[in-house]
Amino acid sequence: GDSVTQMEGPVTLSEEAFLTINCTYTATGYPSLFWYVQYPGEGLQLLLKATKADDKGSNKGFEATYRKETTSFHLEKGSVQVSDSAVYFCAEKKSSGDKLTFGTGTRLAVRP
Amino acid sequence: EAGVAQSPRYKIIEKRQSVAFWCNPISGHATLYWYQQILGQGPKLLIQFQNNGVVDDSQLPKDRFSAERLKGVDSTLKIQPAKLEDSAVYLCASSLQGGLRGDTQYFGPGTRLTVL
């Protein structure tokens, strides 16, 4: 079946460091791609999404570009803050359905 | 706009007992989803409703899990009897229409179930 692979965590960075969390997907065709974030004690929140190749999703300083040629959707942020500490989930949704297939999540800890 | 509501937030039961979770989606959202998130893993879809009909329940363990959305609004997920491996966070999500490319699913805070 389809799967999403994320880099394993935890990722620990100092404030203002550059962040990359890798994500690759396996769905064929043109799935939609998502990044969700889960802050401590809260539910999943949509961070950004992209629905076609070469689209760039962006929100709160985070960006991810839909790369069809490498089946990737890596999350980046130029300067992380302590408040970005959370678990980040990459997810895909096939064009033929609604089911989200999630990666296992990457925990990010940002120290002051 | 009110988000997806779930209750209870936490539940502790012993194995072989029954438990039920409730979800109220965002007003006007036709599609409702139940996901199971085991510790250290990503959420896994259990069942999807479109209004009051089931669209996908292929990953629902039907011998012990059941779900309903009788009036096409709120929904209940039940486990009877519970097993130790059912310990997880149960997430409810809703989306406006379903079936649309890029349609966003909005998640509730989840119910954390511990089976002893």
Side-chain angles (χ1 to χ4, degrees):
Chain A
D2 295 327
S3 65
V4 174
T5 303
Q6 290 182 235
M7 63 187 288
E8 290 191 17
V11 173
T12 303
L13 296 173
S14 297
E15 204 164 24
E16 299 183 3
F18 183 84
L19 168 72
T20 299
I21 301 178
N22 291 339
C23 170
T24 57
Y25 64 92
T26 62
T28 56
Y30 292 89
S32 296
L33 302 173
F34 304 80
W35 276 100
Y36 278 84
V37 58
Q38 191 169 35
Y39 297 104
E42 299 184 17
L44 284 167
Q45 301 175 25
L46 178 68
L47 181 59
L48 52 85
K49 67 181 182 182
T51 59
K52 60 183 189 291
D54 300 323
D55 262 4
K56 178 185 284 187
S58 61
N59 186 26
K60 299 181 181 179
F62 291 88
E63 293 184 340
T65 301
Y66 189 141
R67 301 285 187 201
K68 180 70 174 172
E69 63 277 15
T70 54
T71 61
S72 65
F73 193 54
H74 305 323
L75 182 68
E76 296 182 336
K77 186 175 185 181
S79 176
V80 294
Q81 305 300 311
V82 173
S83 56
D84 294 326
S85 298
V87 181
Y88 292 81
F89 292 91
C90 184
E92 66 174 13
K93 185 171 72 164
K94 291 166 68 171
S95 54
S96 58
D98 291 324
K99 183 178 78 171
L100 282 170
T101 299
F102 285 88
T104 54
T106 302
R107 182 175 298 278
L108 170 66
V110 180
R111 14 169 230 257
Chain B
E1 175 183 275
V4 176
Q6 289 188 249
S7 67
R9 292 294 309 274
Y10 306 91
K11 190 73 176 179
I12 300 174
I13 61 172
E14 295 190 349
K15 59 183 179 183
R16 292 187 287 273
Q17 286 187 321
S18 302
V19 65
F21 314 127
W22 174 82
C23 171
N24 193 33
I26 293 173
S27 177
H29 280 196
T31 310
L32 185 147
Y33 313 79
W34 283 102
Y35 287 84
Q36 180 192 57
Q37 185 179 13
I38 293 172
L39 187 64
Q41 299 180 19
K44 182 186 79 171
L45 180 70
L46 292 175
I47 188 167
Q48 176 189 345
F49 292 94
Q50 181 76 12
N51 297 307
N52 61 353
V54 175
V55 174
D56 183 354
D57 63 356
S58 58
Q59 298 192 85
L60 186 74
K62 298 180 185 65
D63 57 332
R64 297 184 300 105
F65 285 65
S66 64
E68 59 184 15
R69 193 184 184 200
L70 293 176
K71 296 181 180 179
V73 181
D74 56 349
S75 174
T76 303
L77 176 70
K78 297 180 182 178
I79 307 175
Q80 180 179 10
K83 293 186 175 181
L84 296 177
E85 59 261 35
D86 298 332
S87 294
V89 176
Y90 290 85
L91 297 167
C92 180
S94 70
S95 66
L96 188 62
Q97 185 63 36
L100 297 177
R101 188 171 188 76
D103 193 29
T104 298
Q105 294 182 25
Y106 297 89
F107 285 80
T111 297
R112 183 178 297 277
L113 173 67
T114 302
V115 182
L116 302 176

